[in-house]
Amino acid sequence: MTTRIPTSTSLTESAVIAAPLAQVWHMIKLQDFHKFWSKLSKSDYVKGASPETDVVQWTFKDGTVLDVKQEEHSTIDHLITYSVIASTPALTYTSVLSTIRCYPITSGGSEGSTFVQWTANFSSDADAGVIEDARFKRKEALADLADVVVGGAKK
């Protein structure tokens, strides 16, 4: 009998990016993630997938394909929330809901920069390996975002 390691099914990763909020927020569109995230080869709208919201297909360089549905978008609060609705290969867990939120830093040594927070809430069947993989991918994507926004490098 295999024993699962109990784990939290939520995570939060964050970064301070040395660029103004408007510059960072401009990149936070599901269809544009390939412009900064080095693990993605492309991100395209899925036409006709949902009459009520946007669905974008992310194709990773390792061959994984995720269809992500935009659940919420706020230009007032500078956040997007999305869920994974399809995956090839199939996911080993039932669901995940993720939010990326940007905050302007208005005082102190990082004034004029942007604080970016990327959260995920997984279904209870996600194991520790899934959570740690998601943590690593978010850290890497946030570093890529900073590189593109601050340095102007294209991925």
Side-chain angles (χ1 to χ4, degrees):
M1 182 171 121
T2 304
T3 304
R4 283 189 51 184
I5 299 170
T7 187
S8 172
T9 56
S10 64
L11 69 92
T12 300
E13 289 302 325
S14 61
V16 172
I17 298 178
L21 174 67
Q23 196 174 341
V24 176
W25 177 242
H26 178 72
M27 299 297 294
I28 309 298
K29 297 175 182 71
L30 295 177
Q31 72 275 11
D32 289 341
F33 274 40
H34 72 283
K35 293 179 180 177
F36 70 85
W37 196 356
S38 63
K39 293 294 184 192
L40 286 179
S41 60
K42 63 181 180 173
S43 48
D44 299 308
Y45 280 112
V46 178
K47 304 278 188 237
S50 173
E52 60 197 41
T53 191
D54 294 332
V55 175
V56 174
Q57 187 169 79
W58 287 347
T59 303
F60 288 82
K61 291 178 181 175
D62 71 358
T64 301
V65 177
L66 298 179
D67 287 359
V68 294
K69 178 182 174 188
Q70 184 170 286
E71 303 288 353
E72 180 179 9
H73 177 266
S74 174
T75 56
I76 294 170
D77 292 324
H78 300 102
L79 69 85
I80 63 166
T81 298
Y82 65 91
S83 60
V84 175
I85 59 171
S87 176
T88 304
L91 299 174
T92 60
Y93 51 91
T94 307
S95 65
V96 60
L97 186 69
S98 299
T99 298
I100 301 174
R101 187 164 186 177
C102 300
Y103 300 88
I105 299 176
T106 60
S107 63
S110 296
E111 183 176 348
S113 295
T114 305
F115 177 78
V116 182
Q117 182 182 53
W118 195 343
T119 63
N121 291 292
F122 290 85
S123 53
S124 62
D125 56 346
D127 64 19
V130 166
I131 305 303
E132 286 308 305
D133 182 60
R135 181 180 314 284
F136 174 77
K137 285 178 178 164
R138 280 162 175 73
K139 283 183 178 186
E140 183 177 64
L142 289 169
D144 288 347
L145 177 61
D147 287 347
V148 169
V149 171
V150 175
K154 296 230 179 197
K155 292 293 167 185

PDB file of all heavy atoms in Angstrom, residues 60-74:
ATOM      1  N   PHE A  60       3.367  23.879 -24.174  1.00  0.00           N
ATOM      2  CA  PHE A  60       4.682  23.918 -23.535  1.00  0.00           C
ATOM      3  C   PHE A  60       5.717  23.260 -24.439  1.00  0.00           C
ATOM      4  O   PHE A  60       5.395  22.399 -25.265  1.00  0.00           O
ATOM      5  CB  PHE A  60       4.634  23.208 -22.179  1.00  0.00           C
ATOM      6  CG  PHE A  60       3.881  23.970 -21.122  1.00  0.00           C
ATOM      7  CD1 PHE A  60       2.493  23.906 -21.058  1.00  0.00           C
ATOM      8  CD2 PHE A  60       4.545  24.767 -20.206  1.00  0.00           C
ATOM      9  CE1 PHE A  60       1.782  24.609 -20.095  1.00  0.00           C
ATOM     10  CE2 PHE A  60       3.848  25.480 -19.244  1.00  0.00           C
ATOM     11  CZ  PHE A  60       2.462  25.401 -19.191  1.00  0.00           C
ATOM     12  N   LYS A  61       6.950  23.652 -24.274  1.00  0.00           N
ATOM     13  CA  LYS A  61       8.044  23.123 -25.088  1.00  0.00           C
ATOM     14  C   LYS A  61       8.255  21.626 -24.888  1.00  0.00           C
ATOM     15  O   LYS A  61       8.780  20.961 -25.772  1.00  0.00           O
ATOM     16  CB  LYS A  61       9.329  23.901 -24.821  1.00  0.00           C
ATOM     17  CG  LYS A  61       9.252  25.325 -25.345  1.00  0.00           C
ATOM     18  CD  LYS A  61      10.500  26.131 -25.042  1.00  0.00           C
ATOM     19  CE  LYS A  61      10.350  27.551 -25.581  1.00  0.00           C
ATOM     20  NZ  LYS A  61      11.478  28.404 -25.206  1.00  0.00           N
ATOM     21  N   ASP A  62       7.794  21.073 -23.750  1.00  0.00           N
ATOM     22  CA  ASP A  62       7.919  19.632 -23.510  1.00  0.00           C
ATOM     23  C   ASP A  62       6.777  18.827 -24.138  1.00  0.00           C
ATOM     24  O   ASP A  62       6.716  17.619 -23.995  1.00  0.00           O
ATOM     25  CB  ASP A  62       8.021  19.328 -22.012  1.00  0.00           C
ATOM     26  CG  ASP A  62       6.719  19.557 -21.251  1.00  0.00           C
ATOM     27  OD1 ASP A  62       5.709  19.988 -21.857  1.00  0.00           O
ATOM     28  OD2 ASP A  62       6.705  19.304 -20.031  1.00  0.00           O
ATOM     29  N   GLY A  63       5.849  19.518 -24.845  1.00  0.00           N
ATOM     30  CA  GLY A  63       4.741  18.844 -25.507  1.00  0.00           C
ATOM     31  C   GLY A  63       3.427  18.876 -24.740  1.00  0.00           C
ATOM     32  O   GLY A  63       2.375  18.550 -25.291  1.00  0.00           O
ATOM     33  N   THR A  64       3.449  19.263 -23.466  1.00  0.00           N
ATOM     34  CA  THR A  64       2.217  19.378 -22.684  1.00  0.00           C
ATOM     35  C   THR A  64       1.357  20.494 -23.255  1.00  0.00           C
ATOM     36  O   THR A  64       1.869  21.552 -23.628  1.00  0.00           O
ATOM     37  CB  THR A  64       2.546  19.684 -21.202  1.00  0.00           C
ATOM     38  OG1 THR A  64       3.365  18.629 -20.688  1.00  0.00           O
ATOM     39  CG2 THR A  64       1.288  19.819 -20.370  1.00  0.00           C
ATOM     40  N   VAL A  65       0.048  20.242 -23.317  1.00  0.00           N
ATOM     41  CA  VAL A  65      -0.898  21.246 -23.812  1.00  0.00           C
ATOM     42  C   VAL A  65      -1.992  21.429 -22.759  1.00  0.00           C
ATOM     43  O   VAL A  65      -2.610  20.454 -22.315  1.00  0.00           O
ATOM     44  CB  VAL A  65      -1.532  20.819 -25.152  1.00  0.00           C
ATOM     45  CG1 VAL A  65      -2.567  21.848 -25.619  1.00  0.00           C
ATOM     46  CG2 VAL A  65      -0.457  20.615 -26.216  1.00  0.00           C
ATOM     47  N   LEU A  66      -2.198  22.688 -22.339  1.00  0.00           N
ATOM     48  CA  LEU A  66      -3.247  23.010 -21.373  1.00  0.00           C
ATOM     49  C   LEU A  66      -4.232  23.975 -22.011  1.00  0.00           C
ATOM     50  O   LEU A  66      -3.820  24.946 -22.647  1.00  0.00           O
ATOM     51  CB  LEU A  66      -2.672  23.689 -20.122  1.00  0.00           C
ATOM     52  CG  LEU A  66      -1.675  22.934 -19.266  1.00  0.00           C
ATOM     53  CD1 LEU A  66      -1.237  23.815 -18.093  1.00  0.00           C
ATOM     54  CD2 LEU A  66      -2.266  21.636 -18.767  1.00  0.00           C
ATOM     55  N   ASP A  67      -5.518  23.712 -21.829  1.00  0.00           N
ATOM     56  CA  ASP A  67      -6.554  24.683 -22.172  1.00  0.00           C
ATOM     57  C   ASP A  67      -6.924  25.391 -20.879  1.00  0.00           C
ATOM     58  O   ASP A  67      -7.353  24.742 -19.914  1.00  0.00           O
ATOM     59  CB  ASP A  67      -7.782  24.011 -22.772  1.00  0.00           C
ATOM     60  CG  ASP A  67      -7.552  23.524 -24.197  1.00  0.00           C
ATOM     61  OD1 ASP A  67      -6.444  23.721 -24.733  1.00  0.00           O
ATOM     62  OD2 ASP A  67      -8.482  22.939 -24.777  1.00  0.00           O
ATOM     63  N   VAL A  68      -6.724  26.698 -20.845  1.00  0.00           N
ATOM     64  CA  VAL A  68      -7.005  27.481 -19.640  1.00  0.00           C
ATOM     65  C   VAL A  68      -8.166  28.428 -19.909  1.00  0.00           C
ATOM     66  O   VAL A  68      -8.219  29.079 -20.957  1.00  0.00           O
ATOM     67  CB  VAL A  68      -5.756  28.236 -19.130  1.00  0.00           C
ATOM     68  CG1 VAL A  68      -4.686  27.263 -18.649  1.00  0.00           C
ATOM     69  CG2 VAL A  68      -5.174  29.144 -20.188  1.00  0.00           C
ATOM     70  N   LYS A  69      -9.089  28.450 -18.974  1.00  0.00           N
ATOM     71  CA  LYS A  69     -10.292  29.280 -19.096  1.00  0.00           C
ATOM     72  C   LYS A  69     -10.163  30.475 -18.168  1.00  0.00           C
ATOM     73  O   LYS A  69      -9.909  30.313 -16.975  1.00  0.00           O
ATOM     74  CB  LYS A  69     -11.523  28.463 -18.710  1.00  0.00           C
ATOM     75  CG  LYS A  69     -12.817  29.239 -18.750  1.00  0.00           C
ATOM     76  CD  LYS A  69     -13.974  28.351 -18.298  1.00  0.00           C
ATOM     77  CE  LYS A  69     -15.252  29.147 -18.187  1.00  0.00           C
ATOM     78  NZ  LYS A  69     -16.323  28.350 -17.570  1.00  0.00           N
ATOM     79  N   GLN A  70     -10.324  31.661 -18.734  1.00  0.00           N
ATOM     80  CA  GLN A  70     -10.289  32.864 -17.905  1.00  0.00           C
ATOM     81  C   GLN A  70     -11.574  32.931 -17.097  1.00  0.00           C
ATOM     82  O   GLN A  70     -12.664  32.991 -17.648  1.00  0.00           O
ATOM     83  CB  GLN A  70     -10.138  34.102 -18.783  1.00  0.00           C
ATOM     84  CG  GLN A  70      -9.991  35.374 -17.981  1.00  0.00           C
ATOM     85  CD  GLN A  70      -9.603  36.534 -18.859  1.00  0.00           C
ATOM     86  OE1 GLN A  70      -8.468  36.623 -19.293  1.00  0.00           O
ATOM     87  NE2 GLN A  70     -10.548  37.410 -19.117  1.00  0.00           N
ATOM     88  N   GLU A  71     -11.445  32.897 -15.787  1.00  0.00           N
ATOM     89  CA  GLU A  71     -12.599  32.926 -14.891  1.00  0.00           C
ATOM     90  C   GLU A  71     -12.925  34.342 -14.436  1.00  0.00           C
ATOM     91  O   GLU A  71     -14.071  34.662 -14.155  1.00  0.00           O
ATOM     92  CB  GLU A  71     -12.349  32.036 -13.668  1.00  0.00           C
ATOM     93  CG  GLU A  71     -12.031  30.592 -13.987  1.00  0.00           C
ATOM     94  CD  GLU A  71     -13.215  29.795 -14.493  1.00  0.00           C
ATOM     95  OE1 GLU A  71     -14.355  30.298 -14.491  1.00  0.00           O
ATOM     96  OE2 GLU A  71     -12.998  28.636 -14.911  1.00  0.00           O
ATOM     97  N   GLU A  72     -11.876  35.166 -14.333  1.00  0.00           N
ATOM     98  CA  GLU A  72     -12.055  36.545 -13.873  1.00  0.00           C
ATOM     99  C   GLU A  72     -10.943  37.403 -14.442  1.00  0.00           C
ATOM    100  O   GLU A  72      -9.810  36.949 -14.588  1.00  0.00           O
ATOM    101  CB  GLU A  72     -12.011  36.589 -12.339  1.00  0.00           C
ATOM    102  CG  GLU A  72     -12.192  37.957 -11.740  1.00  0.00           C
ATOM    103  CD  GLU A  72     -12.165  37.960 -10.218  1.00  0.00           C
ATOM    104  OE1 GLU A  72     -11.827  36.925  -9.607  1.00  0.00           O
ATOM    105  OE2 GLU A  72     -12.469  39.020  -9.648  1.00  0.00           O
ATOM    106  N   HIS A  73     -11.289  38.647 -14.751  1.00  0.00           N
ATOM    107  CA  HIS A  73     -10.306  39.621 -15.213  1.00  0.00           C
ATOM    108  C   HIS A  73     -10.726  40.973 -14.667  1.00  0.00           C
ATOM    109  O   HIS A  73     -11.862  41.392 -14.876  1.00  0.00           O
ATOM    110  CB  HIS A  73     -10.262  39.666 -16.744  1.00  0.00           C
ATOM    111  CG  HIS A  73      -9.335  40.693 -17.275  1.00  0.00           C
ATOM    112  ND1 HIS A  73      -9.740  41.968 -17.614  1.00  0.00           N
ATOM    113  CD2 HIS A  73      -8.001  40.650 -17.528  1.00  0.00           C
ATOM    114  CE1 HIS A  73      -8.705  42.647 -18.060  1.00  0.00           C
ATOM    115  NE2 HIS A  73      -7.639  41.885 -18.017  1.00  0.00           N
ATOM    116  N   SER A  74      -9.840  41.641 -13.962  1.00  0.00           N
ATOM    117  CA  SER A  74     -10.159  42.946 -13.407  1.00  0.00           C
ATOM    118  C   SER A  74      -9.034  43.928 -13.694  1.00  0.00           C
ATOM    119  O   SER A  74      -7.915  43.764 -13.196  1.00  0.00           O
ATOM    120  CB  SER A  74     -10.377  42.867 -11.897  1.00  0.00           C
ATOM    121  OG  SER A  74     -10.541  44.169 -11.351  1.00  0.00           O
TER     122      SER A  74
END
